[in-house]
Amino acid sequence: MTEAYIYDHVRTPRGKGRSDGKLHEISAVSLASQTLQSLRDRNALDTALVEEVVLGCVAAVGEQGGNIARIATLNAGFDECVPGVQLNRYCSSGLDAVNFAAAKVMAGQAELAIGGGVEMMSRTPMGADGGAWAIDPQVAFHTRFVMQGISADLLASLHGYTRRQLDAYALASQQRAARAWAEGRFARSIIPVRDVVGAVVLDRDEHFRPETTAESLAALKPAFHEMGTKYGFDAVALQRYPEVERIEHLHHAGNSSGVVDGAGAMLVGSLAAGLRVGLKPRARIRSFASIGTEPTLMLTGPTPSAQRALSKAGMSATDIDLWELNEAFSAVVLSFMDTMNVPHERINVNGGAIAFGHPLGATGVMILGTVLDELERTGKGTALVNLCVGAGMGTATIIERVA
C-alpha cells in the first residue's frame, strides 16, 4: 500500500451563519474556490497533476448543489482535467473528504488529491436538503428519530453531567480559542476571504466570544426543552432509553456548536509525487475509520471510531499526543474524555466548535488542519481527529507529523 501524506492545508475564517455575518455575501462556490486557489498559489502547484478534488457539503441543494466540488474546481481556474466529487456524511463530511482523497493515494489510484469541505449556513440553512430520516413518518418512527439537541441532552442525562460541568467545558473552549488567536496559532493556515472586487471581507474567526464568563453562560436558557416536551421528542428518546427517568435539558447556545459559514482544503499525495513537484510532507496519514452507532442517541460515535482507527494503525490511546474532537455539544467531549481516558489538557487545546462554530461540511478538514499546526508548533508527534455524526456515526483519522 502507498502511504499518503499531507502537504498543506488552508481554511477560511468562520463567519457567523446569519444574514449579518461577514461571509453572507459570499457564495459557497466562491468560498470553496478561494481555498483551492490558495492551495495552488502558495505551493506553485501545477493543477493538471491533481487527480481528484473531494469536498464535503451537507446541505447540497440550491447554490451548494450540483456537485459543488467540480464546479468550485473549475471556478478556481484549475485545469479542466481535474475531476471533483461532493460527499455527505453529515458533520464528518470534511474529514471524510480528506480520507477519501487519501484512500485513492493509498490504493495507487491517484498521486495528488485534495480533500476539503464547504458550508454556507447563512445562505443554505441546515436541513434545507430534507431527507427521509426526518420527514418521512414511517422512517422516523422506525429509527426513533429525534433532533440532535435532544440527543445531546439525553447523553448528558445518561452520564449524569450537570449544567455546571457542561458550562465549564464551554468556558474553557472560549478561553482556549481566545489564547490561540492572541498567540497567532492559526496564522499559517487562515486565508482572508475576498469579495468580487478583491476586498477582504473577513480575515478572522467571527463567532467566538472571548468575553464569555461562567455567569454569562449560566444565564442562558436551555435551547431544547420546548422541542423535547412540546413536540414529543423526549418521549421518543425515552422509549429507546427507559432507564432514564427524564431528560434534563442542559445544553444551550453557549455550550453547543455555533452556526457558521466556512471552507477548508487539504493537499494530500504520495511521497513520490511530493518529490516530483518539490513539496515537503508535513504529516503522514496513519489510519482512518468510520462506524455506525445507535441513531437516537447518535452522538457516541467518536469512541468506537477512535478505537477502530487506533486498531488499524496498530496503536493505543497512549500513543496519541493530541486529540481533536468536534465540539458539537459539551456532553460529547466530556463523554469521550471519560470513555477514552483522555485528559482535558490534551484535547481541543485551541478551542473548538463551541467557540468557533461548526460549518457542517467543512469542520472535519478544519480541525484536522488545526491539530497538524499544533503538532508542528509544539513538536509533538501524533494526533487523532474525530467527529460525532448525525444518524449515529463517527469518523476518526490519525496523523503523524513528519519531522
Side-chain angles (χ1 to χ4, degrees):
M1 183 181 71
T2 302
E3 292 188 327
Y5 292 84
I6 299 171
Y7 285 98
D8 199 13
H9 73 93
V10 297
R11 75 166 177 92
T12 70
R14 298 173 180 90
K16 293 178 181 178
R18 306 192 306 250
S19 59
D20 61 348
K22 293 287 183 65
L23 295 182
H24 178 65
E25 67 177 279
I26 310 297
S27 70
V29 167
S30 175
L31 202 67
S33 298
Q34 291 187 47
T35 64
L36 296 175
Q37 290 167 335
S38 180
L39 269 187
R40 176 197 63 197
D41 295 346
R42 61 196 257 159
N43 293 289
L45 186 63
D46 177 0
T47 59
L49 300 176
V50 177
E51 296 181 71
E52 186 71 274
V53 173
V54 189
L55 293 185
C57 183
V58 175
V61 294
E63 64 184 22
Q64 289 191 168
N67 188 1
I68 193 170
R70 170 60 172 168
I71 305 308
T73 300
L74 292 171
N75 192 57
F78 275 42
D79 192 283
E80 291 180 355
C81 73
V82 182
V85 60
Q86 174 267 335
L87 65 81
N88 175 14
R89 201 196 301 272
Y90 299 128
C91 301
S92 69
S93 298
L95 185 59
D96 276 297
V98 177
N99 293 346
F100 276 49
K104 294 197 74 169
V105 173
M106 292 173 171
Q109 301 305 303
E111 290 292 313
L112 285 173
I114 292 173
V118 61
E119 204 81 31
M120 288 297 301
M121 301 181 76
S122 70
R123 296 169 67 103
T124 306
M126 182 165 50
D129 54 335
W133 183 43
I135 65 175
D136 184 323
Q138 183 176 0
V139 174
F141 177 80
H142 176 69
T143 59
R144 290 188 174 91
F145 167 78
V146 300
M147 301 298 290
Q148 198 169 82
I150 304 301
S151 300
D153 286 339
L154 172 61
L155 181 63
S157 300
L158 283 166
H159 283 270
Y161 297 135
T162 65
R163 170 70 180 263
R164 185 183 296 270
Q165 288 175 298
L166 300 177
D167 285 357
Y169 180 83
L171 179 59
S173 180
Q174 295 285 356
Q175 292 170 338
R176 291 177 176 192
R179 181 185 63 195
W181 263 107
E183 295 179 359
R185 296 187 186 183
F186 306 128
R188 180 175 182 179
S189 304
I190 290 275
I191 62 168
V193 177
R194 300 180 182 274
D195 63 15
V196 293
V197 297
V200 173
V201 296
L202 187 65
D203 60 4
R204 179 180 175 85
D205 288 311
E206 187 181 22
H207 183 270
F208 76 108
R209 299 176 176 86
E211 72 281 1
T212 300
T213 65
E215 292 74 21
S216 65
L217 289 172
L220 296 174
K221 294 181 179 180
F224 308 109
H225 178 268
E226 182 177 7
M227 181 187 298
T229 57
K230 184 177 180 180
Y231 295 101
F233 287 118
D234 281 5
V236 173
L238 292 174
Q239 287 177 354
R240 180 62 181 80
Y241 292 90
E243 66 270 32
V244 179
E245 181 180 354
R246 67 178 181 275
I247 295 176
E248 300 289 344
H249 291 287
L250 304 173
H251 286 91
H252 52 76
N255 58 27
S256 307
S257 55
V259 175
V260 293
D261 301 327
M266 183 168 283
L267 178 64
V268 300
S270 67
L271 188 59
L275 289 172
R276 282 198 298 271
V277 298
L279 296 177
K280 180 182 178 182
R282 297 173 60 183
R284 178 167 67 102
I285 297 177
R286 290 285 302 267
S287 70
F288 45 82
S290 294
I291 200 165
T293 61
E294 195 283 305
T296 301
L297 186 54
M298 121 175 45
L299 302 173
T300 57
T303 292
S305 63
Q307 291 169 335
R308 179 173 286 184
L310 287 166
S311 177
K312 289 181 180 294
M315 302 171 71
S316 66
T318 57
D319 296 319
I320 301 299
D321 295 321
L322 293 174
W323 304 76
E324 197 76 20
L325 171 60
N326 184 39
E327 295 175 348
F329 303 92
S330 284
V332 172
V333 189
L334 293 183
S335 65
F336 181 80
M337 289 193 291
D338 287 344
T339 56
M340 293 295 294
N341 195 28
V342 175
H344 193 189
E345 61 268 21
R346 289 171 55 197
I347 189 168
N348 298 344
V349 298
N350 292 320
I354 287 173
F356 292 126
H358 175 23
L360 304 177
T363 301
V365 65
M366 286 181 163
I367 64 175
L368 181 59
T370 293
V371 83
L372 172 56
D373 288 349
E374 186 65 13
L375 286 177
E376 293 175 332
R377 188 187 74 85
T378 60
K380 297 183 185 300
T382 58
L384 188 150
V385 177
N386 65 357
L387 302 92
C388 60
V389 181
M393 291 181 282
T395 294
T397 301
I398 298 174
I399 63 171
E400 181 179 24
R401 182 175 65 90
V402 175

